Amino acid sequence: TLTLAGSACDLVSAAYASTKQSHPYIQSMCDAAEKGVKSMSGAPASCVQPLLTSLEPHVAAASEYVSKGLGKLGEKLPLLQKPVDQIISDTKELVAARVADAKDVVSS
């Protein structure tokens, strides 16, 4: 639910995709790494399921705890509710305003 985190993930994903398209050597390395991850994640369900079943209550409790913590963090830091592009834009405007104020002080 944190817009900043989602926005940052989108930017990283777009940069990854763009880099893969722009550089054939990097693309082949990334494709190989992706295939390796996919093959490891395809472990037989019969082997993994008992572990997942035993961990499920713990994961659910941790997820709820983290969710509440992120909610409180979002309340205390409204910046986390803004996308990266807006934060950059707001920062540029703030810096430009401060520079203009400094120029006014120096000129007067």
Side-chain angles (χ1 to χ4, degrees):
T1 61
L2 297 177
T3 306
L4 177 62
S7 167
C9 287
D10 291 344
L11 287 172
V12 169
S13 178
Y16 176 77
S18 174
T19 301
K20 276 180 62 174
Q21 290 176 352
S22 301
H23 306 285
Y25 295 116
I26 292 176
Q27 180 179 6
S28 62
M29 289 175 24
C30 290
D31 288 344
E34 289 170 14
K35 285 179 186 174
V37 169
K38 285 178 185 175
S39 68
M40 287 190 308
S41 66
S46 60
C47 296
V48 177
Q49 191 58 45
L51 178 62
L52 293 177
T53 302
S54 67
L55 290 176
E56 187 174 0
H58 304 292
V59 171
S63 177
E64 184 178 339
Y65 180 74
V66 168
S67 180
K68 287 179 183 177
L70 288 174
K72 288 180 183 179
L73 187 63
E75 291 172 9
K76 294 184 184 220
L77 296 171
L79 180 71
L80 296 175
Q81 301 300 331
K82 295 181 180 181
V84 172
D85 295 339
Q86 185 178 358
I87 293 170
I88 291 171
S89 174
D90 292 349
T91 303
K92 285 179 181 178
E93 288 176 17
L94 181 63
V95 169
R98 297 294 183 235
V99 168
D101 290 346
K103 284 181 181 179
D104 291 344
V105 168
V106 170
S107 65
S108 65

